Amino acid sequence: MGIPSEIKQYLGTRTPIAVRRDNNSSFLIPSPAEDAKMLRSRLCTQEGVREGAKAAAITCVATTIPTLAAVRMVPWAKANLNYVAQALIISGASIAAYFITADKTILECARRNTQYKGTS
């Protein structure tokens, strides 16, 4: 039994550095090179999220216009595509664009940050 960590914070008790668990689950102190790697990976992830959100917004607009136009003008679409189908078409394309773009951006950024030099 022990004092839960939430109560320790209120009591002001401090745990030793070797026992403390932060965002980093390791009790070892990372080297500056590891810190730089973690920072670069976070920046790559943030860049991927930004680019993915931009692609999703553009794809949302680019699929909404033809989908709604087709439902109003094309007889087959008018008869067969209800509101749920229209929402699935638009959101499916947007989600796919987000994940594909974010993945490509993160991989490209990781390749740029690689320290490996080929033996040529």
Side-chain angles (χ1 to χ4, degrees):
M1 304 275 257
I3 300 173
S5 61
E6 296 85 295
I7 296 174
K8 283 182 186 179
Q9 292 173 356
Y10 291 118
L11 295 176
T13 57
R14 305 283 296 174
T15 56
I17 293 174
V19 179
R20 191 177 305 152
R21 301 283 182 180
D22 294 335
N23 295 340
N24 204 353
S25 65
S26 175
F27 65 90
L28 300 173
I29 298 171
S31 71
E34 289 174 348
D35 280 341
K37 280 184 184 178
M38 289 189 333
L39 178 64
R40 285 195 306 262
S41 70
R42 284 190 192 122
L43 291 175
C44 285
T45 305
Q46 289 173 358
E47 184 180 340
V49 168
R50 270 194 309 272
E51 293 298 318
K54 287 179 191 175
I58 292 168
T59 305
C60 180
V61 172
T63 56
T64 300
I65 294 168
T67 302
L68 295 179
V71 168
R72 299 214 177 2
M73 293 183 230
V74 178
W76 179 87
K78 189 182 288 188
N80 292 314
L81 296 179
N82 60 7
Y83 295 117
V84 175
Q86 295 169 34
L88 283 173
I89 291 169
I90 295 165
S91 63
S94 299
I95 291 168
Y98 172 82
F99 282 111
I100 290 169
T101 305
D103 188 42
K104 288 175 76 174
T105 305
I106 290 170
L107 288 174
E108 177 188 338
C109 185
R111 271 191 219 104
R112 270 187 306 195
N113 291 330
T114 309
Q115 299 295 327
Y116 177 73
K117 303 284 188 218
T119 56
S120 297

